[in-house]
Amino acid sequence: MHNSKKSSNFAPQNLTNMSRQTIFILTLCALLFIPANAAKRRVHTIGDSTMSEYKPAATPKRGWGMYLQAFFNTDSVEVNNRGKSGASTRTFYESGALWPSVKKQMSAGDYLIIQFAHNDEKCKGEDVYVYNSNLRAQGAKDTITDMRGTEPNTTYKAYLYKFIHEAREMGVTPILMSPICRAYFRDGKINNEGRHLLDAQRGKGKDKDYVRCMREVAEETGVPFLDMTAASQELFEQAGQEYCMTHYFNCGDKTHTGADGGMAVASLAYNLISQAPELAEMHPWLVFPDQEQFAAYAQNVEEAGKQAALKASGISFNKTLKPITLKNIQMHHFGYVPSSGHWPAGEIDEVANRYIEYAISADKKKGMVIESIIVPVFVKGGNGMNIHINYGFGSQFAGVTTIYENTALQRNKAMLIRLDQPILVPAGQTLFLRILPWYDSNGKPQHHKFLQLGDITIAGKRLQ
């Protein structure tokens, strides 16, 4: 890959051939084979599912952060993509080890790209704690259990300030990048909601404009602001709704991009960084691959991922697990439903604080390798049930990885989910497996929809 910069306009026609490539990013296991280079600068990215890493066996979704490394000289810079599916500013900062684990990886001189809003909007622009308080004051029996929602003028800004302040304390340069647009078209244009602008309720107060609020935080703190919302709006509108849905948003919804969309947005990130005078230090690190070079980069990533299978000798085991935690999920006579009794409207992704959890611990002196996981699943009541299967380590659920996704599970049809992806559990560590359900509610809360899980079987080897 060459190091010279040139114009970066990944027009729709330039990406068409690349959709034939099966592209995915290095898995954690693959990264273990790459020696650390202390001389490299690091660009860390934190955000939501539009940025995050995905395993190709689990889903066709691809976050734009998976392709950002292709636009940096790999001899000088390492991109550490830590976007997390389902995260809002609140849950990334407060839930588990997400933000603390990123901080452990950051060093003075690094850069941190911050991009949130999609999941901050989960309460229609209101802070969920305020919203629930108002519901209780009105005598409502049910309150929202999805705690991601922030209000853009208050709590959304507050969490952005926290990321900025703590990064600067470490000598890291924060960058605020507004979220990519959703493919919400109206008469050929992206509408307000697609641009993360929600109307103020009853015409009172400021509009719920997440992009404006992020820009205001940038101005108040002197942080570089990169307007990815405007850049992606221009790209999507030029491509047109039909092309966008066929090539960019080809994952079953209007929020998540596939490979072509992820690559196109990564090229926009390159544009924004290269055109920002306050980021002049980064400019010599940037490169721009042509189509052939980008395809070769993606293919190399794919091949590296194929070589990541973990091989280990040991004593075989097979164990059946029962759930140990039901977080914001209640037992029903048939299966599992949210503790609220209904599936909330407008869900398109996992909810970090709603899950069914299983655990298996390695010996204190010897680790283990999980070789297969079998999950019996049955859905009652509708075809809109979706699940992620994630794993993580320890009580803080560190190193969270999505290993399975199924959108729109078929009702009244039993299925066995079999996952043959090796997972190393170090000595003394506990592996937690989480099933995270959500329901595609078509804009309305859904009742009498149940997810039933059978006993999970885990097979593998205890290392000698």
Side-chain angles (χ1 to χ4, degrees):
M1 186 175 294
H2 60 83
N3 295 335
S4 60
K5 291 191 292 181
K6 58 182 175 181
S7 174
S8 60
N9 181 17
F10 259 82
Q13 62 269 23
N14 292 336
L15 284 173
T16 302
N17 293 333
M18 297 199 65
S19 62
R20 300 170 185 171
Q21 302 285 344
T22 302
I23 303 168
F24 63 91
I25 199 69
L26 290 171
T27 62
L28 177 61
C29 290
L31 290 174
L32 295 176
F33 293 97
I34 301 175
N37 186 343
K40 285 187 179 181
R41 303 291 288 275
R42 303 190 87 190
V43 176
H44 309 269
T45 59
I46 61 173
D48 53 41
S49 56
T50 61
M51 172 194 282
S52 66
E53 303 282 322
Y54 292 98
K55 288 183 177 294
T59 175
K61 296 175 184 176
R62 300 290 183 267
W64 67 264
M66 296 173 65
Y67 306 103
L68 188 59
Q69 182 69 71
F71 297 92
F72 283 96
N73 183 340
T74 55
D75 294 331
S76 305
V77 175
E78 178 186 356
V79 173
N80 177 33
N81 182 25
R82 294 299 305 275
K84 176 65 181 74
S85 181
S88 69
T89 53
R90 169 180 281 130
T91 58
F92 199 96
Y93 187 84
E94 295 185 351
S95 297
L98 289 175
W99 177 233
S101 65
V102 176
K103 289 177 70 174
K104 290 178 181 178
Q105 296 172 337
M106 296 194 304
S107 301
D110 289 353
Y111 285 79
L112 174 69
I113 298 176
I114 305 165
Q115 184 186 82
F116 291 97
H118 286 86
N119 296 305
D120 288 81
E121 301 167 7
K122 290 301 182 182
C123 203
K124 300 185 182 301
E126 297 298 321
D127 183 87
V128 66
Y129 287 97
V130 175
Y131 187 82
N132 280 344
S133 178
N134 291 335
L135 286 178
R136 294 188 192 98
Q138 296 167 12
K141 294 181 179 180
D142 293 332
T143 57
I144 294 176
T145 57
D146 181 347
M147 305 310 291
R148 290 177 288 180
T150 64
E151 199 281 331
N153 298 282
T154 54
T155 42
Y156 175 68
K157 279 187 170 184
Y159 283 106
L160 293 179
Y161 287 130
K162 290 178 184 290
F163 291 127
I164 291 168
H165 174 70
E166 293 178 25
R168 280 177 164 169
E169 279 190 328
M170 299 180 64
V172 174
T173 301
I175 301 169
L176 290 179
M177 179 182 288
S178 62
I180 71 169
C181 287
R182 302 180 195 267
Y184 289 178
F185 281 88
R186 180 180 298 154
D187 298 327
K189 302 293 183 181
I190 301 293
N191 68 14
N192 284 350
E193 188 176 358
R195 294 186 289 110
H196 310 283
L197 169 60
L198 310 181
D199 293 334
Q201 290 187 343
R202 302 182 183 89
K204 298 179 180 179
K206 292 183 177 180
D207 285 339
K208 310 298 185 177
D209 188 341
Y210 288 85
V211 177
R212 170 183 57 77
C213 288
M214 179 179 276
R215 182 184 290 107
E216 289 175 356
V217 171
E219 292 172 351
E220 291 162 7
T221 58
V223 168
F225 174 75
L226 306 180
D227 196 344
M228 176 64 83
T229 310
S232 59
Q233 177 185 0
E234 181 180 3
L235 174 68
F236 299 157
E237 289 180 354
Q238 287 181 354
Q241 181 174 359
E242 182 178 354
Y243 188 94
C244 276
M245 300 313 300
T246 302
H247 295 276
Y248 291 165
F249 295 87
N250 56 340
C251 299
D253 61 59
K254 298 179 180 180
T255 298
H256 299 102
T257 56
D260 283 1
M263 288 186 285
V265 174
S267 74
L268 295 180
Y270 163 91
N271 274 344
L272 293 169
I273 294 170
S274 66
Q275 295 168 10
E278 60 268 50
L279 297 177
E281 183 190 27
M282 300 179 72
H283 295 174
W285 308 339
L286 293 167
V287 298
F288 192 85
D290 59 28
Q291 183 175 344
E292 182 178 349
Q293 290 169 326
F294 207 167
Y297 167 84
Q299 187 64 33
N300 288 339
V301 170
E302 179 180 355
E303 293 302 320
K306 289 179 180 179
Q307 297 168 10
L310 184 63
K311 299 183 183 299
S313 61
I315 304 170
S316 296
F317 72 89
N318 187 295
K319 188 171 184 179
T320 300
L321 301 180
K322 294 186 180 295
I324 60 171
T325 302
L326 297 172
K327 184 76 178 252
N328 287 320
I329 298 264
Q330 65 182 9
M331 283 294 297
H332 187 272
H333 69 279
F334 192 84
Y336 302 103
V337 295
S339 57
S340 62
H342 62 267
W343 300 94
E347 293 190 342
I348 60 170
D349 208 341
E350 70 176 58
V351 179
N353 66 333
R354 183 200 300 148
Y355 55 82
I356 304 154
E357 186 174 84
Y358 303 77
I360 184 168
S361 297
D363 185 88
K364 291 183 179 180
K365 295 183 178 180
K366 298 177 181 178
M368 65 171 64
V369 176
I370 306 299
E371 295 179 321
S372 70
I373 301 170
I374 300 176
V375 184
V377 175
F378 190 83
V379 175
K380 178 71 172 180
N383 292 323
M385 191 71 70
N386 310 281
I387 62 170
H388 276 171
I389 300 179
N390 295 348
Y391 73 78
F393 294 92
S395 59
Q396 292 197 342
F397 206 56
V400 58
T401 302
T402 299
I403 54 174
Y404 180 81
E405 176 186 76
N406 195 322
T407 56
L409 288 161
Q410 294 184 35
R411 64 179 178 179
N412 302 330
K413 181 179 180 180
M415 64 178 294
L416 283 178
I417 299 171
R418 184 182 178 97
L419 305 174
D420 296 311
Q421 301 182 35
I423 304 171
L424 174 64
V425 186
Q429 291 286 315
T430 298
L431 175 78
F432 287 90
L433 195 72
R434 290 182 180 176
I435 315 297
L436 299 97
W438 71 96
Y439 199 88
D440 185 355
S441 61
N442 293 320
K444 297 180 180 180
Q446 296 292 311
H447 298 264
H448 310 299
K449 317 294 183 185
F450 308 113
L451 172 69
Q452 184 179 33
L453 300 177
D455 291 341
I456 288 183
T457 302
I458 294 182
K461 293 178 180 179
R462 292 185 174 88
L463 301 181
Q464 296 176 334

